[in-house]
Amino acid sequence: MKILKKILFVFFILLPIPHSFADMVTFVQSTVTQTQTDFPGGVHFNPDGTKMFVLSASKLSGDYSKVSEFNLTTPFDLSTTSYAGDSESCILNSGNTTTGPVDKVHGLKFSKNGMMMFVARGRTSTDDDADLVFRFDLTSPFDISTCSFANQTTGLDTPALQDGSYAGPRASGKHKNYIRGFDISGDGKKLFVVYHGQSTADTRLLEYELATAFDLSSDISLVTNAGIDIADQTTNPKGIKLSPDGKRLWTVDHQSGSLDVSQFTLNVAYSTSSFTIDGSVSIASTNSQPVGITFSTNGLKMFIGRDDGDGERGILEYDLVCPFNIITGKCPSITENSDRTGMAEAQIELAKRTINFSTNSALNRLKWIRRNKDKQNLSNQNVKLNFSNSMLSSLNSLPFSSFKKISTTKKNNDSNKNYFYWSEGSISLGRVGDTSIASTKKINTNALTFGFDKFTDDYGLKGFAFRFGSDDVDIGSAGSNLDSTTYNITYYSTSPIKDDTKYLDKIFGIGEIRSDITTVLDGKRLTAERTGKQIYGTFKIKDEYKKDKLTLIPSGQFDFGHTLLRAYSETGKGAIKVEGQHIRTKNLRAAMALVEDLSNDKYTLKRHGKLEYVAELDRSSNFKYTYVGDSSVTFNDALHTGALHNLNGEIGVDIIFPEHYSVFIIYERNHAFGTGYTDNLYIALGYLPHKDTEYAFSLNGSQNIISKFEVKKDINGFDLSFNLNDDLTNLGDTREAYIELNKVF
């Protein structure tokens, strides 16, 4: 018999196999577990892939089977496994040697939170009550050393629980059907069981409903309008698995003549009432006796046990071209993976956010000038920000808070007296929470803006702003990241329409985006680079109604923009190739602002507020791509970001003291209906007592409030500065102090 098995094994390797690996499934490696588990009956991983659990199909610990734990130093990498020890195991003892999972145990399943573990027992006798599914509870997630028996099903091999479904009647004969694998829906309401009958024609998959989620002792009923006759796909099943979304199902054939993994697509999640047979893949060249099946969290790895009594028994690892798929032309959309979707959405949001920030910098400049048009010094920035980003840090030597004429000659002094330089440093923190298809995105944007402008003869103003930004977005919790650098040039102007109260603001700009994309799936990094070009503009009409010291400012605004992100291709397992992408920006805004002048003889004080409604008219962009390893299908996913209705509120105060002492405070809340909100706080204090010494203090943040204090002294052409930074929400945790000596040549 042993010789025959070896001959057959060689035969299957040399003979062309109809369901070959093709390019969709690649064997990677295996690990031996026979010392700890004997014959494996099932395999499961914790979500981060650092623990592997293997079920012993036969008695291994006294009168009972057990589940053993293996640790992995690299997620889902079998080459890094090590046995956790006998103390980190679960003895499958229900407390009754008659009904407990003694032998012939198949299948291993954990609840999503890791607090429940399930195993099934196939026939051990002719008793109808021999086919059972058991539940064990854990006191800590995925800590099987804390397992204890909770409950079990009634015997499943009865006419009431076998006959009447789409799978056909049960097998006749003294042994009837017996369990060879199972799975449970994510909500715990559905139980799926695969049976091996008396003959090869009696293999069936049945679907059951539980009266109470995850409670196997509750009433259980056969779903008669469901079930699959799987005799054509597997004659000797030893394993079943459903995808996390319940739309795909796999079976494993233990029969020496096929050794296939078969894939089904369910038209309705967690329902076998309607399905499509995608096909089968033979794994005979690597696994002579497959048993049990599971996947990594993101579906790019498949794991199958091997219980060959003549060889090494253990777990085998396979790489897949695309998640949860083994058949050419059946790769799923990236929208089935929340981190994948979050990365695609983050690129769209980056394009829109960059346009919005660049536009706002120019508009804020115009608003400041208009509120303080009676002042000679119209430069409102007197803050130096220290950035960790190397590009932004290199720009700190450029002039901040400068109020200088372009030329010092008398001739040019007269013609260019209204030219002013200005600069702005900004820090923005944001968060977009989980959606039904996308992971949480944490956003950190740092930027420096430099500009100059000039008053026109018609009492207007025009100028240019140059923005350098660093945008960092963390997606999910596995390490996926979008790291971008942005460059924008913006032209802005304002001019009176009819009189000095009605103004038209015009903004036009171009920009460039350079992004490094890192997507982490199952512990592996998929990387890419992407660039893009932008063009955008804004028209804003505003009026002023002044009575005494109150100024009411209604305004209407239209924003438009177009971003072209170029094509890119990832590198790594499961990589995708993305085509060029068009992202449009269309916003309609209506706002009402109020400015109150509270000035006195000693200082100028103006408090202001704004309420703005924003309709984001274009929130979708098509994300078109193929998988690098399977280009037979092109996906074109319409992704939606943001919200149609948005409400922005702002309150602030301007204080200008004699001798160049000033304070500016702005608090803003942006609320996107149905999506979430962001808070922004900006506080700046500046003091310039004489030309060679400057003091600056700033307070910025939305989630954390960061204070920055700077003292700078000009000593014989050298700038000596002292800087102190602190996180006011976590005093003592984040604190930085440093001294700089700079010389600008």
Side-chain angles (χ1 to χ4, degrees), residues 162-183:
Q162 289 286 324
D163 295 337
S165 74
Y166 291 169
R170 67 175 179 173
S172 60
K174 68 174 185 178
H175 295 319
K176 305 174 185 177
N177 292 341
Y178 53 96
I179 295 177
R180 297 295 289 272
F182 78 99
D183 206 346

Side-chain angles (χ1 to χ4, degrees), residues 267-429:
N267 296 330
V268 179
Y270 294 111
S271 174
T272 56
S273 61
S274 179
F275 61 90
T276 301
I277 303 173
D278 296 332
S280 302
V281 170
S282 175
I283 56 173
S285 61
T286 59
N287 195 334
S288 58
Q289 293 191 8
V291 55
I293 179 173
T294 195
F295 293 83
S296 57
T297 300
N298 290 297
L300 287 175
K301 287 186 177 292
M302 178 175 69
F303 301 88
I304 297 176
R306 177 176 59 199
D307 69 354
D308 188 354
D310 297 328
E312 293 181 337
R313 299 184 290 274
I315 308 300
L316 281 68
E317 173 187 339
Y318 301 85
D319 278 343
L320 306 183
V321 166
C322 56
F324 299 106
N325 176 63
I326 60 175
I327 306 299
T328 300
K330 297 295 183 178
C331 285
S333 165
I334 64 164
T335 57
E336 296 184 16
N337 182 286
S338 59
D339 282 5
R340 277 288 204 189
T341 307
M343 178 61 72
E345 290 183 351
Q347 298 178 60
I348 301 172
E349 294 164 354
L350 167 66
K352 294 178 175 290
R353 186 166 57 252
T354 301
I355 290 176
N356 184 58
F357 284 172
S358 299
T359 300
N360 282 346
S361 292
L363 289 177
N364 288 338
R365 171 66 174 172
L366 295 177
K367 288 190 293 183
W368 165 257
I369 288 177
R370 208 169 281 121
R371 287 199 305 266
N372 301 279
K373 57 187 177 182
D374 55 331
K375 299 298 174 183
Q376 294 299 313
N377 187 349
L378 300 179
S379 182
N380 62 313
Q381 282 79 24
N382 192 26
V383 177
K384 177 180 178 181
L385 300 178
N386 183 66
F387 297 103
S388 58
N389 179 271
S390 58
M391 185 274 296
L392 296 177
S393 295
S394 66
L395 300 175
N396 279 342
S397 61
L398 295 176
F400 281 79
S401 308
S402 58
F403 182 73
K404 300 177 181 178
K405 300 171 184 179
I406 292 180
S407 174
T408 57
T409 66
K410 181 139 185 0
K411 180 178 179 181
N412 290 333
N413 206 18
D414 294 335
S415 61
N416 296 321
K417 62 183 179 180
N418 290 325
Y419 274 98
F420 303 98
Y421 297 121
W422 60 275
S423 60
E424 178 184 270
S426 63
I427 300 174
S428 176
L429 303 176

Side-chain angles (χ1 to χ4, degrees), residues 479-503:
S480 297
N481 176 266
L482 179 67
D483 189 8
S484 306
T485 302
T486 59
Y487 309 86
N488 294 83
I489 301 175
T490 304
Y491 167 81
Y492 58 94
S493 69
T494 186
S495 57
I497 301 175
K498 185 176 181 181
D499 49 46
D500 61 354
T501 67
K502 298 180 177 64
Y503 281 83

Side-chain angles (χ1 to χ4, degrees), residues 598-660:
L598 303 176
S599 304
N600 57 33
D601 295 337
K602 296 182 178 180
Y603 56 84
T604 298
L605 174 63
K606 294 182 180 181
R607 59 184 180 185
H608 49 88
K610 183 186 72 172
L611 185 64
E612 179 181 55
Y613 168 78
V614 183
E616 189 175 351
L617 303 180
D618 201 331
R619 305 180 311 282
S620 64
S621 177
N622 287 350
F623 194 75
K624 195 173 183 179
Y625 60 96
T626 61
Y627 283 91
V628 174
D630 182 13
S631 59
S632 60
V633 178
T634 299
F635 296 87
N636 193 5
D637 296 331
L639 301 178
H640 303 272
T641 60
L644 173 60
H645 303 291
N646 304 266
L647 192 63
N648 301 332
E650 177 186 303
I651 57 174
V653 62
D654 301 343
I655 307 175
I656 302 176
F657 296 90
E659 298 182 358
H660 307 290

Side-chain angles (χ1 to χ4, degrees), residues 1 181 185 278 282 309 421 455 465 501 559 563 578 595 688 691 733:
M1 187 65 180
S185 62
D278 296 332
S282 175
Y421 297 121
F455 288 103
T501 67
D559 308 319
T563 302
V578 182
V595 179
L688 187 64
K691 65 179 183 179
D733 294 340

